[in-house]
Amino acid sequence: MTSFAFDLIELPAEAEALRAEVREFLRETLGDRAAHRRAHSWGGFDREFSRRVGQRGWIGMTWPKRYGGHERTFLERYVVLEEMLAAGAPVGAHWIADRQSGPLLLRFGTDAQRDRFLPAIVRGEVAFAIGMSEPDSGSDLASIRTRAVRADGGYVVNGTKVWTSNAHLSDYAIALFRTSVVPDKKHEGLSQFLVDLATPGITIRPIIDLAGSHHFNEVVFQDVLVPEDMRVGAEGDGWKQVTTELAFERSGPERYLSSFALVTELIHEIARRPTDRGLVAVGRLVAHMATLRQMSLSVAGMLQAGANPNLEAALVKDVGTGFEQEIPEIVHALLDLEPTIDSGSELQQTLGYLVQRAPSFSLRGGTREVLRGIIARGLGLR
Ligand SMILES: Cc1cc2nc3c(=O)[nH]c(=O)nc-3n(C[C@H](O)[C@H](O)[C@H](O)COP(=O)(O)OP(=O)(O)OC[C@H]3O[C@@H](n4cnc5c(N)ncnc54)[C@H](O)[C@@H]3O)c2cc1C
């Protein structure tokens, strides 16, 4: 049986110095924000904030200088990210491009695509969405049906994407389309494209979530012309590329910090009115969080060393999202507190927001069951 390994990583001194800089920047830029706003975690979208982060050199931190990147380490990037998430900073306008669209272009894009997009991403000026899921294709992504058919000057696209986060606010999506149908081989015939979301024929409709917010969308393509030079990688290589992209998506601190604002509120509450049960619960949560952080940092260390830690990344996401989901339940049971929206104490509102958001934590970026399938395969169990 294959096994997994999480080596202990100690952050280098330069990473800790950077932490102080990031905290200072966040204090100056965001001020003192209420916990229920911090609970939006990476859900906020603010182009001006992203430009400022870009000016500080904190987007594309590990990318080559040739493309505007900063050639810093994955561990330094990790520190920036965990500070941003802990503060609930509105990272949405640069987040997807920094985490996955940019790295995808670095690996599979043409020189022209890299020259055109990467420096603009690094400056925090261009926002990306992810166009993978379709109405009948989520976990079984290889079954997508949106067609891109060769035509004069490129491809004509017809079909529908769903759950496309921030498509209504973004400039581009990296989308997966079917460029040919290979009978009985659904993983073949898929290709990835850079799609300008302002192209005629694209209709973006809101989907309102359980909490009444609009962040994801349905994106309909009707005879949309996507130029040939916007295809990413070779035609038909989409499946191999998209699985690489998903690995970028799965191991970071965003997979265990979504309920962090509620942990800090709970700690304040228990400090005010200590109880034995409360102290035990806080101790347990903090110990779990510290362990998850070490596991996630370990994956950042493996990425830094050029390894491919897909199995460990899936483990971090599975255990991490279980942890983020458990926090609202623990707080609810411990304090017997009514979750509220728009009224009540800060703790109640933070709880109210997270109770409604938590079910999505183990769906977005790949469901729990799908991750466990990947883990089982990685361990040689299936
Ligand atoms: C907040 C949020 C944001 C999202 N943003 C985006 C985005 O920006 N772009 C994008 O493309 N997608 C996005 N998604 C979609 C997300 O990737 C899909 O919801 C997810 O992959 C699951 O697909 P599905 O919803 O079609 O569910 P299904 O695949 O239909 O799954 C339904 C249930 O069946 C289980 N299941 C499915 N297959 C198996 C199996 N083989 N074995 C065991 N159990 C199985 C699943 O675990 C799940 O519990 C987002 C989703 C959420 C919740």
Side-chain angles (χ1 to χ4, degrees):
M1 188 173 94
T2 323
S3 67
F4 53 83
F6 288 98
D7 294 330
L8 271 184
I9 296 285
E10 274 200 36
L11 288 172
E14 64 268 22
E16 287 304 341
L18 178 61
R19 183 188 304 286
E21 273 179 59
V22 180
R23 280 193 183 172
E24 185 53 32
F25 167 81
L26 290 170
R27 233 188 326 269
E28 277 170 17
T29 328
L30 301 176
D32 209 7
R33 295 157 85 233
H36 75 275
R37 290 195 58 210
R38 280 187 272 121
H40 287 243
S41 183
W42 34 292
F45 189 105
D46 178 341
R47 284 186 184 265
E48 185 46 37
F49 178 79
S50 291
R51 271 195 205 97
R52 288 201 202 175
V53 176
Q55 279 161 8
R56 295 301 298 257
W58 295 333
I59 304 176
M61 285 178 75
T62 61
W63 305 353
K65 289 194 173 152
R66 188 183 152 200
Y67 300 114
H70 302 284
E71 299 186 4
R72 298 184 79 162
T73 64
F74 279 91
L75 296 177
E76 287 172 296
R77 178 178 182 273
Y78 194 94
V79 163
V80 171
L81 204 53
E82 68 177 351
E83 289 302 323
M84 296 262 173
L85 294 170
V91 293
H94 66 269
W95 165 252
I96 298 296
D98 180 69
R99 182 180 71 184
Q100 63 195 82
S101 322
L104 187 85
L105 292 179
L106 265 178
R107 205 173 281 201
F108 301 111
T110 61
D111 276 344
Q113 287 168 349
R114 292 178 190 153
D115 286 336
R116 178 171 165 195
F117 291 103
L118 297 181
I121 292 174
V122 166
R123 291 193 301 271
E125 289 173 0
V126 49
F128 275 74
I130 305 166
M132 294 189 196
S133 308
E134 294 189 7
D136 297 314
S137 308
S139 304
D140 185 15
L141 185 61
S143 69
I144 59 157
R145 287 178 303 188
T146 297
R147 287 298 310 269
V149 177
R150 271 194 180 272
D152 262 1
Y155 295 79
V156 172
V157 178
N158 280 288
T160 301
K161 295 285 171 187
V162 276
W163 317 123
T164 323
S165 300
N166 291 334
H168 59 307
L169 302 171
S170 300
D171 306 295
Y172 292 88
I174 296 214
L176 185 69
F177 299 137
R178 186 163 292 289
T179 38
S180 64
V181 178
V182 186
D184 299 327
K185 290 193 174 154
K186 62 184 178 182
H187 297 91
E188 294 181 18
L190 300 172
S191 307
Q192 281 189 301
F193 292 86
L194 274 153
V195 178
D196 179 344
L197 289 167
T199 313
I202 297 181
T203 309
I204 300 174
R205 298 194 189 107
I207 303 177
I208 305 301
D209 74 4
L210 185 67
S213 348
H214 171 204
H215 53 90
F216 44 36
N217 302 273
E218 177 188 66
V219 182
V220 179
F221 296 78
Q222 207 169 15
D223 293 330
V224 175
L225 182 68
V226 178
E228 166 114 36
D229 62 4
M230 296 287 262
R231 194 187 64 232
V232 181
E235 191 178 294
D237 276 359
W239 184 252
K240 179 187 80 190
Q241 294 174 196
V242 92
T243 46
T244 309
E245 187 182 337
L246 284 168
F248 294 130
E249 205 182 325
R250 285 182 175 157
S251 63
E254 71 272 26
R255 300 304 176 186
Y256 64 90
L257 283 178
S258 307
S259 304
F260 182 71
L262 189 56
V263 177
T264 54
E265 284 306 290
L266 174 68
I267 291 172
H268 292 318
E269 176 65 20
I270 298 298
R272 274 193 294 266
R273 280 180 280 276
T275 59
D276 285 348
R277 278 178 68 221
L279 292 169
V280 168
V282 167
R284 185 172 165 272
L285 287 178
V286 172
H288 281 200
M289 192 152 52
T291 310
L292 275 161
R293 178 169 181 266
Q294 277 302 339
M295 289 169 70
S296 168
L297 259 176
S298 171
V299 175
M302 288 185 245
L303 290 171
Q304 177 67 28
N308 193 1
N310 274 347
L311 169 60
E312 286 82 357
L315 273 160
V316 172
K317 184 174 184 293
D318 182 33
V319 184
T321 53
F323 172 73
E324 337 177 281
Q325 282 179 330
E326 209 185 28
I327 294 167
E329 283 175 30
I330 290 174
V331 171
H332 193 203
L334 185 71
L335 302 177
D336 194 20
L337 196 70
E338 192 64 31
T340 58
I341 308 286
D342 297 332
S343 63
S345 70
E346 200 45 50
L347 184 56
Q348 281 177 297
Q349 289 191 55
T350 310
L351 180 62
Y353 178 77
L354 284 168
V355 161
Q356 294 186 85
R357 287 311 296 259
S360 70
F361 297 165
S362 59
L363 297 175
R364 57 188 185 187
T367 67
R368 170 167 296 134
E369 290 75 14
V370 165
L371 288 166
R372 289 186 181 173
I374 293 170
I375 295 165
R377 195 176 306 115
L379 293 175
L381 299 171
R382 67 188 277 245

